[in-house]
Amino acid sequence: MANCVSSIVLVIVLLFPFASYSDQLETSENTKQYKLLVLGDSLSAAYGLTQEEGWVHLLQNAWTNANTPIDVVNGAISGDTTDGGLARLPRLLDLHKPTHLLIELGGNDALQGHNPKKIRSNIVDMVNIAKESNVAVMIQEMQIPTNYGRRYTTMFTDVFRSVAEDQEVPLIPFFLEEIALDKNLMQNDGIHPTAEAQPMIVEFMMPRLQALIIDTHL
């Protein structure tokens, strides 16, 4: 029951089109060998925090301090959907010329009742657009509450796995699954991860992303 409730609270954040920053395009000053574009929603947009406290910014700091040759561009916007990501992606690719793309979208679509086939189509289109620009793609798994019904929940979850398999791109597990279980790591609204939770997200994401970007030369 605790896991179910926590999952419900976690994913509600993705439904609301909170006032957002206009493409939080922060990169380090030095040009490096690799550039990662994070195309996401409020979970990557540091909602309720300063940009410096968010996990994407902290990830860049960690890589910079470790002399890891990866720059990070934060293209996340709170409330974004796969429709919005698909519309924004060509401009972001043209503007920043990333070598890698992390797609962290889809939760809002599901919570708005969008057809999983449409969500899948949008993600596939984003993958193909990135590939056409010689950008390597990684997909972030997303989760929704089980009270949306077993059939829809299963169809939604399968979207990310099936796209990853069919398009032969890596799938990264949902990064808030464990954090959501600790209310002390959530903001007062019970929805958004706190500043204290952001380094934990970095700890989860950093080795996975680095292994895909550098170690395996994705």
Side-chain angles (χ1 to χ4, degrees), residues 165-185:
E165 291 178 356
D166 292 348
Q167 298 295 315
E168 298 183 335
V169 298
L171 178 68
I172 298 177
F174 188 50
F175 57 65
L176 288 182
E177 188 168 6
E178 297 299 323
I179 290 174
L181 301 179
D182 186 347
K183 65 180 182 180
N184 295 318
L185 295 176

Side-chain angles (χ1 to χ4, degrees), residues 65-175:
N65 292 337
N67 294 317
T68 304
I70 306 175
D71 273 327
V72 183
V73 176
N74 192 350
I77 292 180
S78 294
D80 204 10
T81 63
T82 59
D83 284 330
L86 179 58
R88 293 191 296 119
L89 181 57
R91 180 181 66 82
L92 294 175
L93 294 178
D94 183 64
L95 180 62
H96 297 284
K97 304 294 190 296
T99 58
H100 293 74
L101 170 68
L102 173 65
I103 300 174
E104 185 268 297
L105 290 168
N108 285 317
D109 304 66
L111 294 176
Q112 294 172 22
H114 294 184
N115 192 317
K117 291 183 179 179
K118 175 62 174 175
I119 301 172
R120 189 184 196 283
S121 176
N122 283 343
I123 296 176
V124 168
D125 285 347
M126 284 187 274
V127 171
N128 287 332
I129 288 172
K131 286 182 175 180
E132 288 171 2
S133 297
N134 295 316
V135 176
V137 183
M138 296 162 284
I139 297 175
Q140 179 73 60
E141 179 188 31
M142 301 301 292
Q143 296 182 6
I144 59 173
T146 56
N147 65 338
Y148 276 72
R150 176 172 302 202
R151 181 173 180 273
Y152 186 85
T153 300
T154 299
M155 291 174 63
F156 174 74
T157 302
D158 286 348
V159 162
F160 304 92
R161 176 189 53 78
S162 67
V163 172
E165 291 178 356
D166 292 348
Q167 298 295 315
E168 298 183 335
V169 298
L171 178 68
I172 298 177
F174 188 50
F175 57 65

Side-chain angles (χ1 to χ4, degrees), residues 24-38 55-65 67-75 96-102 138 209-210 213-214:
Q24 301 150 45
L25 306 176
E26 296 186 12
T27 62
S28 64
E29 294 181 359
N30 298 321
T31 300
K32 299 181 181 177
Q33 182 177 357
Y34 304 101
K35 182 180 288 187
L36 171 65
L37 169 63
V38 178
W55 77 265
V56 177
H57 185 88
L58 295 177
L59 175 65
Q60 176 68 87
N61 287 345
W63 274 334
T64 298
N65 292 337
N67 294 317
T68 304
I70 306 175
D71 273 327
V72 183
V73 176
N74 192 350
H96 297 284
K97 304 294 190 296
T99 58
H100 293 74
L101 170 68
L102 173 65
M138 296 162 284
L209 292 172
Q210 186 167 325
I213 295 172
I214 297 179

